[in-house]
Amino acid sequence: MEALSKTSPIKSVNPFNNEIVATFEVMTDEQVDSKIGLADTAFQSWRKTPKAERAQLLRRVAHLLRVRGPQLEALATLEMGKLLKESRAEVELCAAIFDYYADNGEKFLADQPLDTPLGSAFLSYEPIGVLLSIQPWNFPFYQITRSAAPHLMAGNTMLLKHASNVPQCAQLMEDIFLEAGFPAGVYQNLFIPGSKIDRLIADKRIKAVTLTGSEPAGSSVAAAAGKYIKKSTLELGGSDAFVVLDDADVEQAAEAAVRGRIWNAGQVCVSPKRVIVEEGIADAFLEKVKTKFAALKVGDPTDEQTDLAPLSSEKAVADVIKQVQQAVEQGATVLAGGHRIDRPGAFMEPTILADIQPGTAAYEEEIFGPVFMFYRVKNEQEAIALANATDFGLGGSVFSSDDQRAVNVARQIDTGMVYINHVTGIAPELPFGGTKHSGYGREQSPAAIYEFVNTKLIRVTTAENAY
């Protein structure tokens, strides 16, 4: 969480040239309290709003996202540096998620009859109140969407504490909700530092909290939520295994690995970070990866021909460089890259690390940048053991020409998601979330809408038939 002082302004900095483009004043405690009160008041009427009306407002948000797409795309690229074409895909994904819950929300929230031999019974899904959503910068609109769309559809209201380096994106989303016709207070943005979060969680008017972020941030939020007996969901870091079996299409696997790792300049929780290849094809795979890395075009993220964008900030690139240097000091070998690129902006060379030993920092930690950790293994069982040799368990991939073999391997990897012959992906109808230190709870799919509802049993029977 950001360590901002009480009076430090929130700054929007373009990582392509490190220029400050906007500043926002931190909200006072009184302003925040007022917003919590408005959210709580709005909940009392929003919860009673017919689901069909909620769905219509979600559709309106999806429409506005598409209409204002160029503005949103440009702003995401300006504030956190991602390729414009990636920002474009992100905005369309957000629109699709809002449409998904608009189209399916009523069905998901319908009463569910239960079989019982005496009388009748059903489950009623009812909203719980004001939710606090704490989101990171790497997908400034998508991170908002995957928490807001299902939970607003369910009848909850929401307060967003977004990452402090994407304040314009945060404000624009609130503007879009209001433009779409959402009642005041149903969705609000908070300009506050991370140091204020515990105070929010303690507030009785806030009923639950959802966070996407780092492992330390998740631990802090979970502890605070537990202290006040509030539900939480966490999507934390990942050190995803990208397993390439010896019968895989080497060209296909190498292309997917490279594209997956440079996606968002490597700043994706589910990008392939630990590349695990059976030794029979390891050399061929590695040579293809090196060739593809060398051919990448680095530069202006607004240029449609650019492949690798800057990292999100000077601190981000400095942190990744430090991790690579520490890995080398602890015995790892740099097979490609490893340095900052000598040009303005927060750019880093795509990097391959090998010879990483258990117990070292690189073996244990997530590297949030364009860095492969390459492992050569003797066989399938060794690949599975290495894939599981991490505290994280978010996503993962298995590449093989035999789908059934790949599925059998996937079943043995302890993680929340495994994709066969594809990097871990995103779709509105597919659940997203992890296990172990990667967190708990699910976003997207039908599962998400049930995270913050009261699943209430209602039973109809007679006194003589009760039990």
Side-chain angles (χ1 to χ4, degrees):
M1 301 179 188
E2 299 88 345
L4 297 173
S5 72
K6 190 172 182 179
T7 58
S8 297
I10 293 172
K11 298 178 182 179
S12 173
V13 179
N14 181 355
F16 177 59
N17 55 24
N18 293 324
E19 293 181 358
I20 297 173
V21 294
T23 59
F24 295 81
E25 291 302 316
V26 173
M27 292 176 176
T28 65
D29 289 347
E30 292 75 18
Q31 288 173 315
V32 172
D33 285 340
S34 176
K35 286 182 173 291
I36 297 173
L38 182 59
D40 188 47
T41 299
F43 172 67
Q44 306 311 319
S45 56
W46 180 245
R47 67 185 304 178
K48 299 173 185 176
T49 301
K51 297 180 184 69
E53 291 185 26
R54 295 182 212 155
Q56 279 299 103
L57 292 176
L58 261 64
R59 288 192 185 92
R60 178 65 178 163
V61 170
H63 171 73
L64 289 174
L65 289 172
R66 293 185 174 105
V67 168
R68 300 179 66 175
Q71 179 188 7
L72 277 78
E73 297 154 15
L75 192 54
T77 294
L78 175 70
E79 287 208 295
M80 59 76 50
K82 69 170 57 187
L83 298 177
L84 187 62
K85 54 192 173 187
E86 292 178 341
S87 297
R88 187 175 305 123
E90 178 181 344
V91 172
E92 177 52 39
L93 174 62
C94 293
I97 292 172
F98 278 106
D99 277 339
Y100 174 77
Y101 287 104
D103 293 342
N104 296 286
E106 287 188 81
K107 176 179 65 177
F108 295 156
L109 295 166
D111 292 344
Q112 180 182 331
L114 299 174
D115 290 332
T116 180
L118 300 173
S120 62
F122 65 92
L123 297 179
S124 174
Y125 301 107
E126 301 178 3
I128 62 173
V130 182
L131 309 181
L132 174 62
S133 178
I134 306 165
Q135 299 301 330
W137 44 263
N138 56 337
F139 291 90
F141 300 120
Y142 166 64
Q143 298 292 170
I144 295 172
T145 294
R146 72 184 195 195
S147 63
H151 304 319
L152 296 181
M153 181 64 213
N156 298 301
T157 59
M158 180 168 284
L159 295 166
L160 171 72
K161 188 277 184 252
H162 214 330
S164 292
N165 61 328
V166 288
Q168 295 185 88
C169 291
Q171 185 59 56
L172 181 55
M173 280 299 284
E174 179 177 336
D175 295 343
I176 286 174
F177 276 104
L178 292 172
E179 185 179 345
F182 274 78
V186 171
Y187 176 92
Q188 299 175 88
N189 171 57
L190 302 177
F191 286 131
I192 59 172
S195 59
K196 298 289 187 180
I197 286 174
D198 282 5
R199 176 179 174 272
L200 292 180
I201 296 173
D203 193 297
K204 290 184 177 181
R205 295 167 293 181
I206 292 178
K207 304 303 182 184
V209 57
T210 178
L211 173 138
T212 296
S214 68
E215 185 181 356
S219 177
S220 175
V221 164
K227 178 179 179 180
Y228 297 105
I229 317 176
K230 296 182 180 182
K231 175 75 181 289
S232 63
T233 62
L234 305 176
E235 192 268 279
L236 309 178
S239 189
D240 288 5
F242 185 95
V243 176
V244 185
L245 302 178
D246 57 10
D247 63 348
D249 181 321
V250 177
E251 172 62 29
Q252 178 195 36
E255 178 66 17
V258 170
R259 291 295 162 185
R261 195 63 186 108
I262 67 166
W263 175 27
N264 213 21
Q267 301 165 122
V268 182
C269 294
V270 293
S271 69
K273 299 184 177 78
R274 296 179 301 134
V275 181
I276 302 168
V277 187
E278 284 198 84
E279 61 183 1
I281 59 170
D283 289 339
F285 176 88
L286 192 55
E287 287 307 310
K288 286 184 179 295
V289 167
K290 288 180 180 179
T291 299
K292 293 176 185 297
F293 268 1
L296 294 173
K297 180 180 178 181
V298 179
D300 186 345
T302 65
D303 184 345
E304 296 291 334
Q305 302 306 310
T306 299
D307 298 306
L308 184 62
L311 275 72
S312 62
S313 67
E314 281 296 311
K315 182 181 185 303
V317 72
D319 287 347
V320 174
I321 292 291
K322 183 178 179 180
Q323 285 179 290
V324 170
Q325 290 173 343
Q326 184 180 26
V328 172
E329 291 168 1
Q330 294 178 340
T333 303
V334 176
L335 301 182
H339 303 95
R340 182 192 180 101
I341 298 176
D342 186 16
R343 58 173 297 157
F347 287 90
M348 181 178 177
E349 295 175 332
T351 299
I352 305 172
L353 289 176
D355 304 317
I356 302 165
Q357 299 303 310
T360 62
Y363 192 89
E364 304 290 343
E365 297 175 353
E366 176 183 27
I367 298 181
F368 217 54
V371 180
F372 272 156
M373 291 173 282
F374 180 78
Y375 297 89
R376 188 187 304 259
V377 294
K378 294 179 180 178
N379 52 46
E380 180 180 302
Q381 289 308 311
E382 192 173 304
I384 294 168
L386 183 55
N388 287 330
T390 175
D391 288 336
F392 294 107
L394 190 54
S397 303
V398 179
F399 277 70
S400 170
S401 60
D402 182 340
D403 286 354
Q404 190 54 57
R405 181 189 180 195
V407 168
N408 289 339
V409 170
R411 290 184 185 278
Q412 299 175 71
I413 298 176
D414 190 9
T415 189
M417 305 167 279
V418 183
Y419 278 61
I420 307 303
N421 294 323
H422 196 286
V423 294
T424 305
I426 304 166
E429 71 278 7
L430 300 179
F432 190 99
T435 187
K436 300 192 289 188
H437 286 202
S438 289
Y440 48 79
R442 292 296 181 266
E443 296 176 303
Q444 301 171 177
S445 81
I449 209 165
Y450 304 119
E451 289 287 358
F452 296 122
V453 294
N454 174 23
T455 304
K456 179 190 289 184
L457 168 66
I458 298 179
R459 186 180 178 200
V460 180
T461 187
T462 60
E464 59 269 23
N465 286 333
Y467 62 89

